[in-house]
């Protein structure tokens, strides 16, 4: 099934996946693990290596708040380092909980090789009718996460913490305003 999405500009015009594109891509996933992986990338901004290393015990709940314990592959991190605790949206957390209850016995949430995940994401983007589906990769969702939050008014410093960037300039580099963004800003 292919959707007619020719109105979505090629990724070279915006090197990230938009919220609408992300939804269309994960809806094309035939396997629950791929669908949930794509949703995880979108809703958390995790790097693919971080997402693929998640286990059931990575999902934390405190009252009605959910988070992920993520071992970020940063310079200077050691095996004894504590995980970063990343808050996640409640709606997504409930979907993740359902996925774990139905599909995960133990071990990793996404028992996939990195290259397999990459190919599956591109296949879903192609099936969603994206013109430049070959340009969609796991990191496109991380860029999309930052861009989406910036568009929604999240402060850059907060964004840098959510993305776990050590340098605010890295986060700012993820938000490349296009002409529509500039027009919207000038009209405020």
């Amino acid at each position: 099934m292919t959707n007619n999405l020719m109105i979505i500009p090629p990724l070279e015009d915006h090197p990230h996946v938009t919220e609408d594109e992300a939804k269309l891509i994960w809806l094309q996933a035939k396997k629950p693990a791929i669908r949930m992986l794509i949703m995880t990338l979108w809703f958390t901004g995790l790097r693919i290596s971080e997402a693929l290393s998640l286990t059931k015990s990575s999902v934390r709940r405190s009252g009605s708040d959910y988070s992920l314990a993520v071992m970020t592959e940063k310079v200077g991190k050691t095996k004894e380092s504590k995980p970063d605790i990343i808050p996640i949206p409640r709606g997504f957390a409930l979907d993740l909980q359902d996925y774990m209850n139905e599909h995960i016995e133990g071990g990793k949430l996404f028992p996939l090789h990195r290259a397999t995940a990459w190919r599956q994401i591109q296949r879903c983007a192609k099936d969603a009718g994206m013109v430049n589906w070959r340009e969609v990769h796991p990191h496109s969702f991380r860029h999309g996460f930052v861009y989406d939050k910036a568009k929604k008014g999240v402060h850059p410093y907060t964004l840098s913490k959510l993305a776990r960037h050590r340098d605010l300039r890295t986060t700012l580099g993820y938000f490349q305003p296009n002409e529509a963004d500039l027009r919207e800003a000038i009209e405020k």
Side-chain angles (χ1 to χ4, degrees), residues 75-94:
V75 175
K77 287 275 186 171
T78 65
K79 297 227 184 258
E80 296 81 35
S81 297
K82 292 184 179 182
D84 292 330
I85 305 301
I86 313 297
I88 58 175
R90 198 167 292 119
F92 165 68
L94 296 174

Side-chain angles (χ1 to χ4, degrees), residues 79-115:
K79 297 227 184 258
E80 296 81 35
S81 297
K82 292 184 179 182
D84 292 330
I85 305 301
I86 313 297
I88 58 175
R90 198 167 292 119
F92 165 68
L94 296 174
D95 288 342
L96 184 59
Q97 198 71 51
D98 288 345
Y99 165 76
M100 290 189 309
N101 292 338
E102 293 174 26
H103 302 284
I104 304 301
E105 297 289 326
K108 294 189 176 188
L109 296 185
F110 311 111
L112 302 165
H113 187 274
R114 181 184 181 106

Side-chain angles (χ1 to χ4, degrees), residues 10-50:
L11 282 174
E12 61 223 21
D13 293 343
H14 61 280
H16 62 273
V17 174
T18 67
E19 184 174 15
D20 290 340
E21 290 168 336
K23 287 178 185 175
L24 289 169
I25 292 168
W26 78 59
L27 288 173
Q28 294 304 314
K30 293 167 182 51
K31 296 179 181 178
I34 301 300
R35 180 177 304 112
M36 191 52 57
L37 173 62
I38 295 168
M39 291 174 71
T40 300
L41 294 172
W42 174 258
F43 285 110
T44 65
L46 291 179
R47 298 167 181 92
I48 188 66
S49 58
E50 296 166 344

